[in-house]
Amino acid sequence: MLSRSISILWLSLLLGVQVFAQNSQYVWWNPQSAAFPVVEGQAWPKEVKGPYDRLPARAEKQVRDVVWNLSTQSAGLMIRFRANSSEIKIRYAVGGKHALPHMPATGVSGVDLYAISSDGDWRWCAGKYAFGDTITYDFKNLAPNDNYHKHGREYRLFLPLYNSVKWLEIGTPEGTEFTPLAVRPDKPIVVYGTSIAQGACASRPGMAWTSILGRKMDRPLINLGFSGNGRLEKEVVDLIGEIDAKIYVLDCLPNLTIRPDSKLGLTAEEVKKRVVNTVTALRQKRTDVPIALAEHAGYAEEDINPQSKHYYEEINGVLKDAFATLKSQGFQNLYLIPKADFGQTYESTVDGTHQTDLGMLQYAEGYEKHLRRILHEPSGEFSTTRPIIQMRELHNYDWEKRHSEILELNSKNSPTTVVIGNSITHFWGGLPKGPRAVGESSWSGTFGKNSVNMGYGWDRIENVLWRIYHGELDGFKPKQILINIGTNNLGLNSDEEIAAGWIQLIEAIKYRQPQAQIVMMGIYPRRQQEQRVVALNEQLARITGEADVLFINPGKVFLKADGKIDESLFSDGLHPNEKGYSLLGNAIKPFVK
């Protein structure tokens, strides 16, 4: 017996070693091997000299040497992927010193990994790192999945702020899922600025204010911050004008202060001329893109150093003068962001000039406040009023892929009828095709051939809000938009919160499609929620009256005389079967143009 026990022990140890050896095998992926663009934050991905450069190769002969050299540093670049492993490894090499006297290696040369839950919430990943000829980051004990599926989550890897990346690889254990994600199709926020925009002195890449802002707005962001060299130079401005941006942000004043010891020898007249010429050049190339001019955010010691206070007050006065001149010349869609809105205090910097993580967060919050107003993308207090993505049904369809399909379909077909909703709409029929179409014939008979199905399984109000902010109602002019959304919020939100979401959603649609008739459809009744839905729909009907949009309640066809749903019309007490979709279509059809 003893001999057998020892044999079993040795076998177990042997198997343990084998399992360990198997688990220690990693599959490595190099972004340079991707068949499609995966490095987000590059405006010229097909023209770069180095794989992680920020300017096109031709710029080497157009801009000053120092600007070119800074453009090879990977500030603002980010790589997205999905993975379902509990461990992720990163290895790479950089071309310069790992750290600066006032900025740690983790910010200068480190990477930063963020994850997104299936509900769209951000998560930060702490990794064990080692700096050498090859820099390594090891992220362990990651929860590989959320509760909805087993295909993992989305990750976003932010690259070094003040160093050039020679090569980089991402490793995950063999047998786990890893999927590179393409650069998002959204028009980017483009920032032209100084060392502060580039990221000095954030403790890690994700804490640069540009990175924080990109996460808050959930948009691609192109960081054209050049340390000590954000000077509104024509050569750089001409390049920026090539970018089809969502908005241009100009934050160069810290490098344009008028100082007697400055090598630039700038005067107030010269600075004003640069501002006016920059805005004029951008507006000539991009007539409709908003331009935001940022005031100098000040210095940490301004309350005790009168000279520092004079420098930023003087340059801010010059910017205000230039702004007034441009507005008097008829420039529209031009905005000024005042110093006070950046909220900087004596705790905000490392050295009086460059931001700590706190200062970066304050910077980003000031920008978010203005950019949301400029772009008409408000975010409220309730979860129903905060735009957010989701990936709750990866086993049935890909949420991000469907978003891309709808953008492409709209650009090609210009649908006259838009139907927005959740899985009840998604699984009805129409284009783009979903994982199933339970009522295809009734869809065509109700909405016609030139309609688009903007239903997404598991969507809530906040997910629809994100989709509208990110282009699903841009570039075409439908006659009618019908919306049914909110049933997936019932288990998470109060009636007040659902109503607030509806209000914000209606405003977002009206702004983007003022010519279209908006038809808000009451939440459809569902098993064991019938009474609440009736009361909520009464409240929603009042909201639409105040918003001057049409309200209809076709879901009544699902109810019996006792107020309970007719189970024979559903597959599961929520999703209609073919007969249920037919009755629903008949109730909606009289209101469809």
Side-chain angles (χ1 to χ4, degrees):
M1 291 295 292
L2 179 61
S3 175
R4 182 180 179 186
S5 299
I6 293 174
S7 298
I8 293 174
L9 176 61
W10 276 108
L11 179 61
S12 299
L13 289 173
L14 179 61
L15 289 174
V17 171
Q18 289 175 340
V19 170
F20 176 82
Q22 182 180 3
N23 288 343
S24 66
Q25 297 301 310
Y26 280 77
V27 177
W28 292 91
W29 173 73
N30 188 323
Q32 291 176 251
S33 68
F36 46 84
V38 294
V39 181
E40 195 163 282
Q42 288 180 320
W44 302 270
K46 296 181 180 179
E47 295 187 58
V48 292
K49 181 178 180 180
Y52 302 103
D53 287 355
R54 292 184 286 153
L55 290 180
R58 55 189 160 88
E60 187 173 8
K61 297 180 180 180
Q62 298 172 351
V63 302
R64 290 181 297 113
D65 288 345
V66 65
V67 174
W68 171 255
N69 291 334
L70 288 165
S71 78
T72 65
Q73 297 174 349
S74 56
L77 301 190
M78 183 262 286
I79 297 169
R80 301 188 310 133
F81 59 90
R82 291 189 193 133
N84 68 349
S85 59
S86 60
E87 185 172 5
I88 297 172
K89 292 179 179 289
I90 316 293
R91 61 188 184 191
Y92 60 102
V94 296
K97 294 181 179 180
H98 288 167
L100 297 172
H102 62 328
M103 188 173 175
T106 50
V108 172
S109 306
V111 295
D112 211 358
L113 187 65
Y114 284 76
I116 302 178
S117 76
S118 293
D119 287 320
D121 298 316
W122 286 95
R123 305 282 187 263
W124 178 72
C125 306
K128 184 177 181 181
Y129 49 83
F131 287 84
D133 292 339
T134 296
I135 301 173
T136 61
Y137 273 71
D138 192 357
F139 300 91
K140 294 183 177 181
N141 302 316
L142 302 171
N145 296 289
D146 294 321
N147 297 326
Y148 299 99
H149 51 74
K150 300 299 181 184
H151 297 276
R153 66 181 82 251
E154 179 181 332
Y155 289 91
R156 299 185 184 181
L157 181 71
F158 292 84
L159 302 189
L161 296 170
Y162 264 79
N163 223 324
S164 58
V165 176
K166 293 181 177 180
W167 60 269
L168 179 143
E169 291 181 331
I170 301 172
T172 50
E174 282 187 345
T176 61
E177 294 185 33
F178 178 90
T179 305
L181 296 176
V183 170
R184 291 173 290 176
D186 304 75
K187 293 181 179 181
I189 299 168
V190 177
V191 178
Y192 178 25
T194 68
S195 56
I196 300 170
Q198 184 169 340
C201 288
S203 65
R204 46 188 175 83
M207 287 308 298
W209 73 256
T210 46
S211 301
I212 298 171
L213 179 64
R215 291 196 299 276
K216 285 180 173 290
M217 302 292 293
D218 202 13
R219 286 193 174 279
L221 187 145
I222 293 175
N223 185 334
L224 295 179
F226 303 113
S227 187
N229 290 274
R231 300 179 181 178
L232 298 180
E233 294 171 299
K234 181 180 184 302
E235 297 80 7
V236 179
V237 173
D238 287 345
L239 288 166
I240 292 173
E242 297 176 9
I243 307 171
D244 188 11
K246 187 70 176 178
I247 185 170
Y248 296 119
V249 174
L250 304 177
D251 193 346
C252 291
L253 292 197
N255 287 162
L256 296 173
T257 52
I258 304 164
R259 298 170 180 255
D261 58 346
S262 171
K263 295 179 181 179
L264 293 178
L266 293 173
T267 63
E269 290 74 18
E270 173 62 21
V271 175
K272 179 181 177 181
K273 181 180 178 181
R274 291 194 185 198
V275 174
V276 171
N277 288 348
T278 295
V279 172
T280 302
L282 291 177
R283 184 56 76 233
Q284 286 174 347
K285 287 189 175 182
R286 303 289 177 180
T287 56
D288 298 325
V289 178
I291 301 172
L293 305 174
E295 286 192 359
H296 193 309
Y299 300 102
E301 82 279 17
E302 64 188 52
D303 291 330
I304 200 170
N305 188 330
Q307 188 64 64
S308 293
K309 187 174 184 178
H310 166 74
Y311 287 145
Y312 83 72
E313 286 184 337
E314 181 181 32
I315 200 68
N316 283 346
V318 173
L319 182 68
K320 290 174 182 174
D321 185 26
F323 179 77
T325 297
L326 288 163
K327 296 298 284 186
S328 69
Q329 293 174 356
F331 281 83
Q332 300 297 316
N333 224 357
L334 181 65
Y335 305 88
L336 185 70
I337 303 180
K339 168 191 180 295
D341 285 3
F342 293 121
Q344 301 290 289
T345 71
Y346 61 88
E347 306 281 15
S348 299
T349 73
V350 170
D351 53 6
T353 301
H354 300 101
Q355 274 56 39
T356 60
D357 289 353
L358 171 62
M360 290 290 184
L361 179 60
Q362 294 164 336
Y363 236 98
E365 289 173 343
Y367 267 116
E368 182 190 14
K369 170 185 173 183
H370 281 273
L371 266 57
R372 286 202 176 279
R373 185 160 60 241
I374 293 169
L375 300 177
H376 299 273
E377 297 179 5
S379 180
E381 296 181 4
F382 300 134
S383 64
T384 54
T385 60
R386 292 194 294 268
I388 201 168
I389 63 173
Q390 62 107 332
M391 189 58 68
R392 304 188 191 99
E393 269 193 315
L394 196 60
H395 57 290
N396 279 339
Y397 80 103
D398 187 309
W399 194 89
E400 183 173 320
K401 182 181 178 182
R402 184 165 178 81
H403 174 61
S404 297
E405 289 173 345
I406 285 174
L407 294 179
E408 183 178 2
L409 184 65
N410 290 346
S411 66
K412 291 180 178 179
N413 296 343
S414 295
T416 56
T417 303
V418 173
V419 188
I420 298 174
N422 46 51
S423 57
I424 301 173
T425 302
H426 190 178
F427 301 153
W428 193 338
L431 295 175
K433 289 185 177 295
R436 59 183 182 271
V438 179
E440 186 66 63
S441 60
S442 62
W443 173 276
S444 300
T446 302
F447 303 111
K449 293 183 179 180
N450 195 20
S451 60
V452 59
N453 183 333
M454 290 189 187
Y456 287 58
W458 264 110
D459 253 18
R460 301 171 187 151
I461 298 169
E462 54 266 33
N463 305 131
V464 175
L465 197 61
W466 186 97
R467 295 197 274 121
I468 290 173
Y469 286 178
H470 288 257
E472 289 194 7
L473 291 181
D474 295 345
F476 68 107
K477 293 184 177 181
K479 293 181 180 179
Q480 196 172 42
I481 302 172
L482 301 99
I483 307 98
N484 171 259
I485 196 69
T487 193
N488 290 324
N489 293 93
L490 292 174
L492 298 169
N493 300 104
S494 67
D495 290 2
E496 177 190 8
E497 292 169 339
I498 292 172
W502 263 48
I503 292 171
Q504 190 161 316
L505 194 58
I506 292 170
E507 291 174 352
I509 297 171
K510 290 176 75 173
Y511 171 75
R512 287 158 179 80
Q513 295 290 348
Q515 83 294 331
Q517 183 192 40
I518 299 173
V519 182
M520 300 299 292
M521 297 187 282
I523 296 173
Y524 302 144
R526 57 187 295 174
R527 183 187 295 154
Q528 298 179 349
Q529 294 275 1
E530 293 93 340
Q531 290 184 345
R532 181 185 176 187
V533 168
V534 168
L536 179 55
N537 280 340
E538 291 176 355
Q539 184 177 353
L540 298 178
R542 290 194 296 271
I543 288 172
T544 58
E546 295 169 358
D548 193 27
V549 299
L550 182 62
F551 176 85
I552 63 174
N553 193 9
K556 289 181 177 180
V557 299
F558 295 131
L559 296 175
K560 297 185 297 184
D562 62 0
K564 300 294 183 181
I565 64 168
D566 185 344
E567 295 282 355
S568 69
L569 303 177
F570 292 87
S571 61
D572 56 5
L574 173 63
H575 297 94
N577 54 27
E578 186 175 3
K579 181 181 178 182
Y581 276 122
S582 178
L583 290 175
L584 183 62
N586 289 336
I588 295 173
K589 189 174 181 178
F591 300 96
V592 177
K593 289 188 176 181

